Amino acid sequence: MKEIYKNLYQFTLYIPNMDFTIHQYLYKSNPSILFAAGTVQQININMAEIKNILGERKLKYIFVSHMESDEAGGVFLLKNEFPDVNIICGQLSARELFGFGYDGKILPMNNDEYLNDGELKLKFINYPSEVHLQNGLICFEENSGILYTSDLMLKFGNGEGKIINSNWHDEIKNVCDNRIPVERAKILSESLSKINPKFIAVGHGFCVKL
Ligand SMILES: [Fe+2]
Ligand SMILES: [Fe+2]
């Protein structure tokens, strides 16, 4: 675990044979939010440290970009620990969570929608996550400038605790030119151009300081 940005704690599982990292992040804001529920393996390892960092605080939100094991696997264990926690996710994931038998609080969000609560000013942006290119979300916290990008800007390599420098224009161009189907890339590029992040908390690979 590392405080990789102000009040943002990165938890990493490194998979050597893939040279790949899976990150989840606890943002110790008021209220607090976890970006990605992590895999079951991850949350079993990280739960004690998450509670330790939170101290007296309760975890109020978990952001789930889309339904895959690294984004959503830990939701049941987290709900056992924090029964009032709210899962923030897209409409599709909300239906899938229900289908998997999740009976906790779910807050389905849409593209360009905001959730304001205390120190958090969260904006959600739609992106075609890799599960059949259906709708996933990324999450921008406007007050801190933290953008959690899930799989959108993933990189291979051991990025645990590491930060690279870049600029937002290049990051948008790189992802929209290479990773998104052409017909969707223009829409995503326009959405991303409307925000001005300071720090990209990636789901996999190397975080980016802008
Ligand atoms: Fe994914
Ligand atoms: Fe992922």
Side-chain angles (χ1 to χ4, degrees):
M1 182 277 296
K2 177 181 178 175
E3 186 178 1
I4 197 151
Y5 198 67
K6 195 167 176 291
N7 289 325
L8 185 72
Y9 296 84
Q10 182 190 61
F11 296 82
T12 301
L13 186 72
Y14 178 59
I15 306 169
N17 59 359
M18 290 174 68
D19 194 21
F20 193 64
T21 47
I22 300 174
H23 305 300
Q24 63 181 153
Y25 301 85
L26 176 64
Y27 185 41
K28 193 184 175 184
S29 45
N30 194 9
S32 52
I33 180 168
L34 192 64
F35 294 109
T39 64
V40 170
Q41 180 192 5
Q42 245 181 321
I43 206 65
N44 273 325
I45 296 167
N46 297 336
M47 186 74 87
E49 190 66 41
I50 287 170
K51 284 167 63 183
N52 188 33
I53 294 167
L54 285 171
E56 294 298 303
R57 297 177 193 205
K58 293 275 176 275
L59 182 66
K60 185 162 184 184
Y61 298 109
I62 305 167
F63 177 70
V64 171
S65 165
H66 54 275
M67 287 297 287
E68 281 196 310
S69 60
D70 57 325
E71 333 284 345
V75 290
F76 290 91
L77 292 172
L78 283 159
K79 186 188 157 257
N80 285 346
E81 199 62 49
F82 304 101
D84 291 327
V85 76
N86 299 274
I87 306 278
I88 304 172
C89 60
Q91 301 286 345
L92 177 65
S93 295
R95 293 198 299 275
E96 290 190 271
L97 278 164
F98 183 72
F100 279 112
Y102 187 81
D103 62 355
K105 296 180 193 167
I106 303 175
L107 298 174
M109 291 289 154
N110 296 301
N111 186 44
D112 267 344
E113 201 170 349
Y114 276 91
L115 190 157
N116 295 310
D117 186 358
E119 292 173 0
L120 294 175
K121 187 177 184 189
L122 304 173
K123 180 182 186 179
F124 304 97
I125 297 171
N126 210 333
Y127 91 102
S129 61
E130 85 274 36
V131 191
H132 307 138
L133 296 174
Q134 296 194 73
N135 295 351
L137 293 175
I138 58 173
C139 180
F140 179 46
E141 205 292 295
E142 283 198 357
N143 292 324
S144 62
I146 294 168
L147 174 66
Y148 169 71
T149 52
S150 182
D151 297 347
L152 182 62
M153 293 172 170
L154 71 76
K155 287 190 176 71
F156 283 81
N158 188 351
E160 181 172 7
K162 299 197 184 98
I163 300 169
I164 55 176
N165 293 302
S166 183
N167 70 76
W168 186 223
H169 179 264
D170 287 353
E171 291 299 311
I172 295 174
K173 187 163 170 21
N174 186 39
V175 77
C176 289
D177 284 0
N178 299 313
R179 298 188 59 88
I180 302 292
V182 174
E183 64 275 15
R184 311 279 283 279
K186 188 168 179 290
I187 300 167
L188 181 63
S189 174
E190 284 172 5
S191 294
L192 294 176
S193 298
K194 289 183 199 158
I195 63 171
N196 192 17
K198 293 179 187 154
F199 187 83
I200 304 174
V202 292
H204 312 275
F206 299 81
C207 288
V208 182
K209 196 157 184 286
L210 299 162

